[in-house]
Amino acid sequence: MNTDKPSRRTQVLIIGGGPSGLLLSQLLERSGIETVILERRSREYVLGRIRAGVLESGTVELLREAGVGERMDREGLVHEGIYLAVSNRGFRIDFKHHTGGTVRVYGQTELTRDLYRARDAMGGTILHEVDQVRIEDADSGSPRVSFRHEGRERRVECDFVAGCDGFHGVGRQTIPADVRREFERVYPFGWLGLLSPTPPVSEELIYASHERGFALCSMRNPNLSRYYLQVPLDDATENWPDAVFWDELKCRIPRDAAESIVTGASIEKSIAPLRSFVAEPMRWGRLFLCGDAAHIVPPTGAKGLNLAASDVYYLWQALKQHYLDREDEGIDTYSARALARVWKAERFSWSMTRLLHRFPDQSDFDRRMQQAELEYLETSVAAQASLAENYIGLPY
Ligand code: FAS
Ligand code: PHB
């Protein structure tokens, strides 16, 4: 594609080469709609990120529809439930029994790798290490995107711009402040994540609520485990040598798991802050926001990546309708349709975070409320069915 001068219009210009941008590009190109992706980082950098681990069934279906489900189906782990643990005692939430549904454990890193391979196989245009990206005339019929790449100023004219550029991207900032409404809650703690080449401690994930703080036992495959500990916001990975991490994790998880866990040297350790965030609207003229560019959830409900997938589905359907059916009902309803599902996932992620974490300013009454809700969850079929249907993913 010649980007020295705007002689060639692409149809959809996608900012961001993470899961949202790559999946949207793959689906659009398979529908005959041309895209260009601009990514700020190198491909190695993008593939070096350790992020999500659990895919809803809707995300699994969409990846198959995009032609990138083969390795996920071969290597991904089908999970029919999760464990919740309260003060070292666990109980199971059986998704299959309550909903007939399951989730797939398959790391975002591998999913992103599959998407890059698929884009390359179709000869996709992905420009890496671009900077100074600016979206111009998004509210006109002919938006343009200017940027620098390989030391040269470039510009691409397009029909539509998809802001798939994450929480710190330029897409959301392009929507005028007097048009945009933002909703946010920042949590007074973070998650310290550790990746270790050890067998998972349990067949299924364990979400543990403990006086000392929240812990999560997850995995990527039978020889790669992912663990998290709730830590104070001002904590640092330097304070957590592996031995200290393992000792603390054992304090917070069920006794039988603590006695059987296989520990080992970490191959990645990082702290992620937790926030709930939504920006409305997710469309402004011919600019559409997808994924983390528009919303952030605390990872407690495993929704971040899965919300990106449902946004991409709605936008793919809308743009296909525009180009193939010459209809714009999908485009006109995209923001409302995506936000309806976003807010339900925000609620679920917020409620799981509020239920399972220790809050520094928590009163004794607050703590009793958490304990009562956990006991209700342990003993009520209706409460477990509600958690199950939210965890496996509400319908698109
Ligand atoms: P991403 O942020 O993944 O991708 C946006 C891309 O845009 C990036 O590659 C960025 O480099 C690029 N970009 C940004 N600005 C740009 C610009 N101006 N020009 C060009 N490119 C630009 N979700 C879960 O479900 N479970 C988890 O356990 C979990 N853990 C997480 C841990 C961390 C530390 C973080 C930050 C997020 C986590 N998430 C988790 C959420 C995460 O998985 C996101 O939901 C997912 O990455 C969303 O994908 P995208 O919308 O593509 O955004
Ligand atoms: C993960 O495996 O990284 C993971 C799983 C479930 C969550 C959050 C993170 O809720």
Side-chain angles (χ1 to χ4, degrees):
M1 174 198 71
N2 178 343
T3 60
D4 284 342
K5 50 186 183 306
S7 56
R8 161 124 187 248
R9 299 172 56 88
T10 192
Q11 290 174 303
V12 182
L13 192 286
I14 297 171
I15 304 173
S20 295
L22 291 165
L23 182 54
L24 179 63
S25 172
Q26 181 67 6
L27 288 162
L28 288 173
E29 295 276 357
R30 283 169 61 97
S31 302
I33 298 165
E34 188 190 68
T35 66
V36 168
I37 295 178
L38 304 181
E39 167 52 50
R40 176 165 62 183
R41 300 288 190 175
S42 69
R43 186 171 295 197
E44 296 65 37
Y45 186 96
V46 175
L47 290 173
R49 292 179 182 133
I50 307 294
R51 294 261 183 94
V54 172
L55 306 182
E56 295 173 351
S57 48
T59 305
V60 169
E61 285 310 313
L62 194 59
L63 290 168
R64 288 180 182 144
E65 173 72 35
V68 293
E70 191 267 331
R71 191 159 72 103
M72 171 192 65
D73 283 329
R74 193 174 65 247
E75 297 178 7
L77 306 170
V78 177
H79 280 201
E80 298 187 356
I82 55 171
Y83 285 93
L84 292 183
V86 185
S87 308
N88 302 103
R89 190 176 49 78
F91 60 95
R92 186 164 182 265
I93 306 282
D94 187 338
F95 303 149
K96 194 86 172 173
H97 171 71
H98 291 297
T99 70
T102 61
V103 294
R104 187 72 57 104
V105 172
Y106 187 65
Q108 175 174 324
T109 307
E110 299 319 311
L111 179 158
T112 307
R113 198 186 313 279
D114 296 341
L115 282 165
Y116 269 120
R117 282 188 188 137
R119 291 284 59 238
D120 291 347
M122 286 182 68
T125 306
I126 306 176
L127 302 184
H128 281 279
E129 296 181 293
V130 305
D131 63 12
Q132 298 176 30
V133 174
R134 297 177 308 283
I135 304 168
E136 296 148 9
D137 297 336
D139 58 342
S140 77
S142 331
R144 289 191 313 279
V145 176
S146 303
F147 58 97
R148 287 184 60 79
H149 184 239
E150 293 172 347
R152 296 198 345 246
E153 186 66 31
R154 300 188 176 198
R155 196 172 74 185
V156 175
E157 296 203 349
C158 50
D159 298 337
F160 299 101
V161 181
C164 300
D165 49 353
F167 185 66
H168 301 288
V170 66
R172 185 175 71 249
Q173 303 308 329
T174 301
I175 300 179
D178 61 350
V179 172
R180 208 166 68 226
R181 275 197 73 188
E182 296 186 352
F183 307 80
E184 184 172 54
R185 165 162 294 193
V186 177
Y187 296 90
F189 41 75
W191 276 20
L192 166 64
L194 177 145
L195 195 64
S196 62
T198 53
V201 69
S202 161
E203 292 263 301
E204 295 174 327
L205 274 60
I206 302 174
Y207 289 78
S209 174
H210 192 276
E211 292 300 322
R212 300 171 67 94
F214 170 78
L216 171 61
C217 302
S218 184
M219 65 204 68
R220 289 293 176 269
N221 62 52
N223 301 300
L224 191 60
S225 296
R226 181 72 171 162
Y227 295 103
Y228 294 95
L229 291 175
Q230 171 188 347
V231 293
L233 261 184
D234 59 0
D235 211 335
T237 51
E238 295 70 35
N239 303 333
W240 292 90
D242 288 0
V244 172
F245 182 97
W246 293 121
D247 286 348
E248 184 60 32
L249 180 69
K250 289 177 188 174
C251 291
R252 300 188 189 183
I253 61 177
R255 226 177 308 289
D256 58 339
E259 286 161 6
S260 63
I261 193 167
V262 176
T263 64
S266 63
I267 53 177
E268 191 272 348
K269 211 182 285 177
S270 54
I271 293 181
L274 270 62
R275 81 174 72 231
S276 298
F277 175 87
V278 179
E280 296 182 351
M282 289 175 60
R283 176 218 179 169
W284 185 61
R286 289 185 165 238
L287 167 64
F288 299 90
L289 303 182
C290 277
D292 280 16
H295 41 73
I296 298 287
V297 283
T300 329
K303 292 294 161 224
L305 177 58
N306 292 298
L307 276 181
S310 50
D311 291 349
V312 164
Y313 171 77
Y314 297 138
L315 187 53
W316 166 51
Q317 291 293 314
L319 291 171
K320 219 172 45 161
Q321 187 191 53
H322 170 83
Y323 282 110
L324 306 187
D325 308 337
R326 298 281 165 221
E327 286 280 326
D328 280 353
E329 182 266 343
I331 281 177
D332 294 338
T333 57
Y334 167 74
S335 181
R337 200 173 172 209
L339 284 167
R341 191 170 194 274
V342 164
W343 277 113
K344 294 187 187 79
E346 289 281 349
R347 183 209 65 79
F348 176 67
S349 306
W350 163 76
S351 69
M352 286 281 277
T353 304
R354 188 178 53 119
L355 176 66
L356 297 171
H357 289 74
R358 295 310 315 276
F359 286 71
D361 60 352
Q362 196 165 34
S363 68
D364 291 347
F365 177 81
D366 295 337
R367 186 63 186 142
R368 281 284 185 277
M369 286 299 98
Q370 277 183 325
Q371 289 165 341
E373 192 170 343
L374 284 163
E375 280 168 32
Y376 172 57
L377 196 52
E378 184 172 3
T379 56
S380 160
V381 172
Q384 293 194 10
S386 170
L387 188 152
E389 75 166 353
N390 280 278
Y391 194 95
I392 66 157
L394 297 178
Y396 279 15

